[in-house]
Amino acid sequence: MAYKRNESEAQRLDRNFNEQLQELRIAQAGVQILFAFLLTIPFQQRFSAITDLQRGIYLVALMAAAVSVIAFTAPVALHRTLFREGLKDFIVSYTSRLMAVGLIGLVLAIVGGIVLVLDVLLSHVAAFVTGAVLLLVAVVLWILVPLSKKGTARRARPPEFAEPD
């Protein structure tokens, strides 16, 4: 049976923001490590020998990681700027959108990094097939499964138990 929280709107917003911060901590660590790795690649001796295609893949992955880092750290600046302004509802909804942008950047950086490495080590075909499979796995795990459960949960939940996230 579904449950209903007994909390005020302010408590709900505080809880939602705290949950978002926990999610951001996990995503931030991974994207920052990936971004740092991508920043060091041009300083390796073999970088000058990469093809134009590989350079393009690298640039896409680097920019995607940069966008992801910016999107995942933006909620800190947002919260700091709007702290005690009575805008927690805006902060929570805007942070949710920033996290979506950050996740898109993160998956592009991950796939781009893998495609780049595999293109250097194996072949174009192996690199792009693997990249496509990884992108598909991310779409399934990050989007399709959660959306299918969300739809199922909403249909099964009585209206009196509906809770805005």
Side-chain angles (χ1 to χ4, degrees), residues 17-27 99:
F17 189 62
N18 285 329
E19 289 173 1
Q20 287 175 333
L21 291 178
Q22 293 302 322
E23 293 167 7
L24 282 169
R25 284 186 182 106
I26 293 166
M99 290 170 66

Side-chain angles (χ1 to χ4, degrees), residues 15 17 36 50 54 57 65 74 79 103 111 118 133 139 155-156 162:
R15 178 180 53 80
F17 189 62
I50 67 172
Q54 292 166 343
I57 295 167
H79 183 263
L103 287 171
V111 170
L118 292 180
V133 169
V139 167
R155 286 188 298 277

Side-chain angles (χ1 to χ4, degrees), residues 77-152:
L78 178 72
H79 183 263
R80 189 56 21 225
T81 303
L82 298 178
F83 185 66
R84 294 189 180 173
E85 295 294 329
L87 296 171
K88 184 65 74 91
D89 55 342
F90 171 76
I91 291 170
V92 168
S93 66
Y94 191 65
T95 294
S96 181
R97 291 191 297 272
L98 288 167
M99 290 170 66
V101 169
L103 287 171
I104 291 168
L106 178 57
V107 77
L108 291 176
I110 291 169
V111 170
I114 292 295
V115 169
L116 177 62
V117 169
L118 292 180
D119 194 53
V120 169
L121 295 176
L122 302 175
S123 70
H124 292 322
V125 173
F128 284 99
V129 167
T130 303
V133 169
L134 285 175
L135 184 59
L136 179 63
V137 168
V139 167
V140 168
L141 295 178
W142 292 8
I143 298 169
L144 298 180
V145 170
L147 286 179
S148 72
K149 292 306 285 180
K150 187 175 188 177
T152 302

Side-chain angles (χ1 to χ4, degrees), residues 34-46:
L34 178 58
F35 187 50
F37 166 73
L38 289 169
L39 287 173
T40 65
I41 289 178
F43 301 104
Q44 305 302 314
Q45 288 181 348
R46 290 187 61 193

